[in-house]
PDB file of all heavy atoms in Angstrom:
ATOM      1  N   ALA N 152     -18.903  -6.899  14.146  1.00 95.00           N
ATOM      2  CA  ALA N 152     -18.743  -7.567  15.253  1.00 95.00           C
ATOM      3  C   ALA N 152     -18.217  -6.651  16.377  1.00 95.00           C
ATOM      4  O   ALA N 152     -18.712  -6.635  17.621  1.00 95.00           O
ATOM      5  CB  ALA N 152     -17.647  -8.711  15.196  1.00 95.00           C
ATOM      6  N   GLU N 153     -17.385  -5.730  16.132  1.00 94.00           N
ATOM      7  CA  GLU N 153     -16.901  -4.611  17.128  1.00 94.00           C
ATOM      8  C   GLU N 153     -17.994  -3.808  17.541  1.00 94.00           C
ATOM      9  O   GLU N 153     -18.152  -3.601  18.834  1.00 94.00           O
ATOM     10  CB  GLU N 153     -15.808  -3.859  16.531  1.00 94.00           C
ATOM     11  CG  GLU N 153     -14.452  -4.514  16.210  1.00 94.00           C
ATOM     12  CD  GLU N 153     -13.676  -3.849  15.127  1.00 94.00           C
ATOM     13  OE1 GLU N 153     -14.058  -2.672  14.871  1.00 94.00           O
ATOM     14  OE2 GLU N 153     -12.771  -4.480  14.605  1.00 94.00           O
ATOM     15  N   THR N 154     -18.856  -3.506  16.695  1.00 92.00           N
ATOM     16  CA  THR N 154     -20.092  -2.595  17.042  1.00 92.00           C
ATOM     17  C   THR N 154     -21.053  -3.376  18.019  1.00 92.00           C
ATOM     18  O   THR N 154     -21.496  -2.837  18.936  1.00 92.00           O
ATOM     19  CB  THR N 154     -20.820  -2.193  15.809  1.00 92.00           C
ATOM     20  OG1 THR N 154     -20.040  -1.450  14.981  1.00 92.00           O
ATOM     21  CG2 THR N 154     -22.104  -1.430  16.085  1.00 92.00           C
ATOM     22  N   PHE N 155     -21.241  -4.682  17.680  1.00 93.00           N
ATOM     23  CA  PHE N 155     -22.047  -5.639  18.535  1.00 93.00           C
ATOM     24  C   PHE N 155     -21.506  -5.575  19.919  1.00 93.00           C
ATOM     25  O   PHE N 155     -22.289  -5.528  20.955  1.00 93.00           O
ATOM     26  CB  PHE N 155     -22.098  -7.011  17.771  1.00 93.00           C
ATOM     27  CG  PHE N 155     -22.771  -7.953  18.621  1.00 93.00           C
ATOM     28  CD1 PHE N 155     -24.191  -7.925  18.701  1.00 93.00           C
ATOM     29  CD2 PHE N 155     -22.077  -9.066  19.193  1.00 93.00           C
ATOM     30  CE1 PHE N 155     -24.838  -8.892  19.304  1.00 93.00           C
ATOM     31  CE2 PHE N 155     -22.859 -10.022  19.754  1.00 93.00           C
ATOM     32  CZ  PHE N 155     -24.304  -9.955  19.926  1.00 93.00           C
ATOM     33  N   LEU N 156     -20.185  -5.853  20.037  1.00 93.00           N
ATOM     34  CA  LEU N 156     -19.625  -5.999  21.365  1.00 93.00           C
ATOM     35  C   LEU N 156     -19.701  -4.612  22.149  1.00 93.00           C
ATOM     36  O   LEU N 156     -19.964  -4.562  23.347  1.00 93.00           O
ATOM     37  CB  LEU N 156     -18.224  -6.555  21.359  1.00 93.00           C
ATOM     38  CG  LEU N 156     -18.046  -7.924  20.861  1.00 93.00           C
ATOM     39  CD1 LEU N 156     -16.654  -8.416  20.963  1.00 93.00           C
ATOM     40  CD2 LEU N 156     -19.002  -8.913  21.634  1.00 93.00           C
ATOM     41  N   MET N 157     -19.388  -3.590  21.392  1.00 89.00           N
ATOM     42  CA  MET N 157     -19.456  -2.286  22.062  1.00 89.00           C
ATOM     43  C   MET N 157     -20.809  -1.999  22.597  1.00 89.00           C
ATOM     44  O   MET N 157     -20.919  -1.319  23.583  1.00 89.00           O
ATOM     45  CB  MET N 157     -19.081  -1.138  21.041  1.00 89.00           C
ATOM     46  CG  MET N 157     -17.573  -1.106  20.699  1.00 89.00           C
ATOM     47  SD  MET N 157     -17.228  -0.193  19.272  1.00 89.00           S
ATOM     48  CE  MET N 157     -17.908   1.465  19.679  1.00 89.00           C
ATOM     49  N   SER N 158     -21.810  -2.301  21.780  1.00 88.00           N
ATOM     50  CA  SER N 158     -23.283  -2.007  22.158  1.00 88.00           C
ATOM     51  C   SER N 158     -23.607  -2.880  23.462  1.00 88.00           C
ATOM     52  O   SER N 158     -24.139  -2.392  24.339  1.00 88.00           O
ATOM     53  CB  SER N 158     -24.175  -2.439  21.023  1.00 88.00           C
ATOM     54  OG  SER N 158     -25.519  -2.343  21.439  1.00 88.00           O
ATOM     55  N   ALA N 159     -23.141  -4.176  23.470  1.00 91.00           N
ATOM     56  CA  ALA N 159     -23.415  -4.952  24.672  1.00 91.00           C
ATOM     57  C   ALA N 159     -22.607  -4.531  25.825  1.00 91.00           C
ATOM     58  O   ALA N 159     -23.102  -4.449  26.905  1.00 91.00           O
ATOM     59  CB  ALA N 159     -23.109  -6.450  24.268  1.00 91.00           C
ATOM     60  N   PHE N 160     -21.386  -4.301  25.604  1.00 90.00           N
ATOM     61  CA  PHE N 160     -20.432  -4.005  26.826  1.00 90.00           C
ATOM     62  C   PHE N 160     -20.665  -2.581  27.432  1.00 90.00           C
ATOM     63  O   PHE N 160     -20.746  -2.351  28.656  1.00 90.00           O
ATOM     64  CB  PHE N 160     -19.013  -4.047  26.394  1.00 90.00           C
ATOM     65  CG  PHE N 160     -18.545  -5.460  26.157  1.00 90.00           C
ATOM     66  CD1 PHE N 160     -19.350  -6.575  26.183  1.00 90.00           C
ATOM     67  CD2 PHE N 160     -17.105  -5.584  26.115  1.00 90.00           C
ATOM     68  CE1 PHE N 160     -18.841  -7.855  25.946  1.00 90.00           C
ATOM     69  CE2 PHE N 160     -16.610  -6.960  25.841  1.00 90.00           C
ATOM     70  CZ  PHE N 160     -17.448  -8.053  25.822  1.00 90.00           C
ATOM     71  N   HIS N 161     -20.922  -1.580  26.501  1.00 85.00           N
ATOM     72  CA  HIS N 161     -20.982  -0.263  26.993  1.00 85.00           C
ATOM     73  C   HIS N 161     -22.379   0.284  26.967  1.00 85.00           C
ATOM     74  O   HIS N 161     -22.668   1.399  27.598  1.00 85.00           O
ATOM     75  CB  HIS N 161     -20.084   0.716  26.177  1.00 85.00           C
ATOM     76  CG  HIS N 161     -18.610   0.111  26.242  1.00 85.00           C
ATOM     77  ND1 HIS N 161     -17.827   0.323  27.392  1.00 85.00           N
ATOM     78  CD2 HIS N 161     -17.873  -0.418  25.356  1.00 85.00           C
ATOM     79  CE1 HIS N 161     -16.634  -0.242  27.144  1.00 85.00           C
ATOM     80  NE2 HIS N 161     -16.589  -0.628  25.973  1.00 85.00           N
ATOM     81  N   GLY N 162     -23.306  -0.199  26.148  1.00 87.00           N
ATOM     82  CA  GLY N 162     -24.549   0.311  26.050  1.00 87.00           C
ATOM     83  C   GLY N 162     -25.655  -0.507  26.676  1.00 87.00           C
ATOM     84  O   GLY N 162     -26.809  -0.126  26.891  1.00 87.00           O
ATOM     85  N   GLY N 163     -25.452  -1.789  27.083  1.00 90.00           N
ATOM     86  CA  GLY N 163     -26.409  -2.698  27.652  1.00 90.00           C
ATOM     87  C   GLY N 163     -27.453  -3.063  26.742  1.00 90.00           C
ATOM     88  O   GLY N 163     -28.550  -3.497  27.233  1.00 90.00           O
ATOM     89  N   ASN N 164     -27.188  -3.053  25.470  1.00 90.00           N
ATOM     90  CA  ASN N 164     -28.239  -3.527  24.567  1.00 90.00           C
ATOM     91  C   ASN N 164     -27.533  -4.279  23.375  1.00 90.00           C
ATOM     92  O   ASN N 164     -26.330  -4.286  23.252  1.00 90.00           O
ATOM     93  CB  ASN N 164     -29.112  -2.392  23.971  1.00 90.00           C
ATOM     94  CG  ASN N 164     -28.293  -1.268  23.432  1.00 90.00           C
ATOM     95  OD1 ASN N 164     -27.504  -1.436  22.604  1.00 90.00           O
ATOM     96  ND2 ASN N 164     -28.491  -0.060  23.961  1.00 90.00           N
ATOM     97  N   LEU N 165     -28.372  -4.939  22.537  1.00 89.00           N
ATOM     98  CA  LEU N 165     -27.832  -5.757  21.319  1.00 89.00           C
ATOM     99  C   LEU N 165     -28.110  -4.892  20.044  1.00 89.00           C
ATOM    100  O   LEU N 165     -29.241  -4.868  19.582  1.00 89.00           O
ATOM    101  CB  LEU N 165     -28.416  -7.094  21.310  1.00 89.00           C
ATOM    102  CG  LEU N 165     -28.139  -7.989  22.574  1.00 89.00           C
ATOM    103  CD1 LEU N 165     -28.830  -9.315  22.459  1.00 89.00           C
ATOM    104  CD2 LEU N 165     -26.642  -8.198  22.688  1.00 89.00           C
ATOM    105  N   ARG N 166     -27.137  -4.438  19.471  1.00 88.00           N
ATOM    106  CA  ARG N 166     -27.247  -3.659  18.203  1.00 88.00           C
ATOM    107  C   ARG N 166     -25.881  -3.964  17.321  1.00 88.00           C
ATOM    108  O   ARG N 166     -24.906  -4.269  17.860  1.00 88.00           O
ATOM    109  CB  ARG N 166     -27.353  -2.171  18.457  1.00 88.00           C
ATOM    110  CG  ARG N 166     -28.573  -1.797  19.290  1.00 88.00           C
ATOM    111  CD  ARG N 166     -28.655  -0.329  19.493  1.00 88.00           C
ATOM    112  NE  ARG N 166     -28.559   0.469  18.295  1.00 88.00           N
ATOM    113  CZ  ARG N 166     -28.439   1.806  18.125  1.00 88.00           C
ATOM    114  NH1 ARG N 166     -28.253   2.560  19.192  1.00 88.00           N
ATOM    115  NH2 ARG N 166     -28.385   2.344  16.933  1.00 88.00           N
ATOM    116  N   SER N 167     -26.124  -3.834  16.121  1.00 93.00           N
ATOM    117  CA  SER N 167     -25.001  -3.756  15.212  1.00 93.00           C
ATOM    118  C   SER N 167     -25.392  -2.978  13.956  1.00 93.00           C
ATOM    119  O   SER N 167     -26.463  -2.418  13.909  1.00 93.00           O
ATOM    120  CB  SER N 167     -24.634  -5.198  14.842  1.00 93.00           C
ATOM    121  OG  SER N 167     -23.480  -5.253  14.079  1.00 93.00           O
TER     122      SER N 167
END
Side-chain angles (χ1 to χ4, degrees):
E153 292 157 15
T154 299
F155 178 70
L156 293 185
M157 287 165 58
S158 177
F160 287 11
H161 301 287
N164 53 53
L165 297 179
R166 296 179 59 189
S167 189

